[in-house]
Amino acid sequence: MRFLIGLILIFLISPLTLWSAEGQDAAGSFERAEQVESTTAQDGYVAVSAAPTWTKPLLCPNGEQNCLFVKTTKYHWQVGDQITCGELMNETVIEQVEDRCDGGTCEKCYRVEHNEWIQDSSENQYAEFGLGAYSVTPGTSTRFLGTESSVDQTETNKTEYSFMPAAATVLVSGDAIQGHISTVSKDGIFVASNKNFEGTLADLESQDKSMRMGLRIFSAILMMLGWVLLVSQFTGPIAGLLNIIPFLGPVANSGVTGVTTVLAALIGLIVWAALFVVVIVLHNIWLMLGLLAAILGYIWWSKNKATPKKAEKKS
């Protein structure tokens, strides 16, 4: 099973995650929107900014301000238990249960207290409003910039709020059809922001950068984990045999396992670095064309360099 999971991580999940990372370009999609005045509606992918007028108002959780969006998530506190194996941290042990063994290595297992917040419900609410000659109906595809959060909590219940208060001027980008903005094409982005066009663009660029870096790191971790799982499928049983050595067996087992894990992770990081270069080239058409031109130029230069030498030999 570890072998199969390792292969899936190496050849599927890690590359797809890295490909997704390099495709983060919400700022580029937003920048393609045509900046228009709010006084006269026009069709197309537009970005419009004006003071909002409310057709379906929505109050923020504090009840004192209009919001563009409110997400309400409710939880209850659940008291329970779970089985955990290996070294305990700060868990409260209820009882010891049967040990877990894998490849000749066994770990002690315990039933411990496990208390957590369990989600009961989650609801998204959206205001409907006008921006000059445009009417706006946000939805699940809308990216709200400038959201805030708050929590109401008791000992047994908790309610989390994520919301976006409306400023005096609101900017929206999306597909306008007969003066109504409620959707966006796949090449655009439906944005609601309290900043101007330049400020919104800067926020999206920052989000793209953070998302890109986070996905890159996650992809690298997946690749290293895949190689660790792949290698451990073969080294685990061998290392387990060292346990038969009196006194030093467990130490030798731990040492071999640690060294092979580090080496496997290092191999995974090297493979990921090579994959990263390939993905960067494939995502950048100009870089790919430049690399192809460089290769063709080198081939042409090599042939022309070799031709005079052949002519000299014939003479």
Side-chain angles (χ1 to χ4, degrees), residues 35 158 176 191 206 218 226:
Q35 299 183 61
K158 180 173 67 171
V191 168
S206 177
F218 185 52

Side-chain angles (χ1 to χ4, degrees), residues 145-146 193 195 198-208:
L145 301 181
S193 169
K195 296 184 178 181
E198 291 74 18
T200 301
L201 180 61
D203 283 351
L204 289 172
E205 288 174 342
S206 177
Q207 289 185 6
D208 285 343

Side-chain angles (χ1 to χ4, degrees), residues 42-311:
Q42 68 179 62
D43 290 350
Y45 180 39
V46 301
V48 58
S49 179
T53 56
W54 306 101
T55 54
K56 182 184 174 183
L58 176 65
L59 287 178
C60 295
N62 59 19
E64 299 176 355
Q65 188 178 5
N66 283 313
C67 262
L68 302 180
F69 158 79
V70 177
K71 179 180 180 180
T72 306
T73 308
K74 296 183 177 181
Y75 302 85
H76 74 271
W77 183 248
Q78 178 174 286
V79 177
D81 59 73
Q82 68 177 17
I83 303 298
T84 183
C85 299
E87 184 179 353
L88 296 176
M89 301 298 290
N90 297 318
E91 296 91 344
T92 301
V93 177
I94 299 174
E95 61 177 343
Q96 186 171 348
V97 297
E98 184 179 355
D99 293 352
R100 180 180 65 186
C101 297
D102 182 21
T105 302
C106 293
E107 293 181 312
K108 292 187 178 299
C109 296
Y110 308 87
R111 186 185 303 279
V112 300
E113 290 184 2
H114 180 68
N115 307 325
E116 61 179 337
W117 289 104
I118 301 297
Q119 181 176 316
D120 295 319
S121 63
S122 182
E123 179 185 16
N124 293 335
Q125 296 175 286
Y126 306 93
E128 295 180 12
F129 54 96
L131 295 177
Y134 294 88
S135 61
V136 182
T137 305
T140 55
S141 63
T142 308
R143 180 178 293 195
F144 295 92
L145 301 181
T147 57
E148 300 178 10
S149 61
S150 64
V151 178
D152 290 337
Q153 183 174 330
T154 64
E155 289 186 0
T156 57
N157 294 283
K158 180 173 67 171
T159 303
E160 294 181 347
Y161 299 99
S162 177
F163 55 94
M164 180 177 173
T169 301
V170 172
L171 178 144
V172 168
S173 72
D175 288 342
I177 302 175
Q178 296 181 349
H180 183 60
I181 302 175
S182 62
T183 59
V184 70
S185 64
K186 65 178 182 178
D187 296 327
I189 182 173
F190 195 168
V191 168
S193 169
N194 286 327
K195 296 184 178 181
N196 60 16
F197 190 89
E198 291 74 18
T200 301
L201 180 61
D203 283 351
L204 289 172
E205 288 174 342
S206 177
Q207 289 185 6
D208 285 343
K209 184 178 180 180
S210 298
M211 183 66 72
R212 193 178 299 118
M213 184 59 64
L215 288 173
R216 285 173 180 172
I217 294 173
F218 185 52
S219 172
I221 292 173
L222 290 176
M223 179 64 75
M224 289 188 290
L225 178 60
W227 276 93
V228 168
L229 291 174
L230 197 67
V231 172
S232 67
Q233 182 69 34
F234 302 102
T235 60
I238 297 174
L241 294 176
L242 298 174
N243 286 327
I244 63 175
I245 303 174
F247 304 111
L248 297 179
V251 177
N253 183 356
S254 300
V256 170
T257 302
V259 170
T260 55
T261 298
V262 171
L263 290 176
L266 182 59
I267 292 172
L269 186 59
I270 294 172
V271 172
W272 181 87
L275 177 65
F276 176 69
V277 173
V278 173
V279 170
I280 288 293
V281 171
L282 292 178
H283 255 290
N284 192 324
I285 183 64
W286 296 110
L287 183 60
M288 187 164 58
L289 291 175
L291 183 62
L292 180 61
I295 294 173
L296 293 176
Y298 176 77
I299 294 174
W300 178 83
W301 176 79
S302 299
K303 288 184 176 180
N304 285 335
K305 184 179 180 182
T307 301
K309 294 182 178 179
K310 291 181 179 180

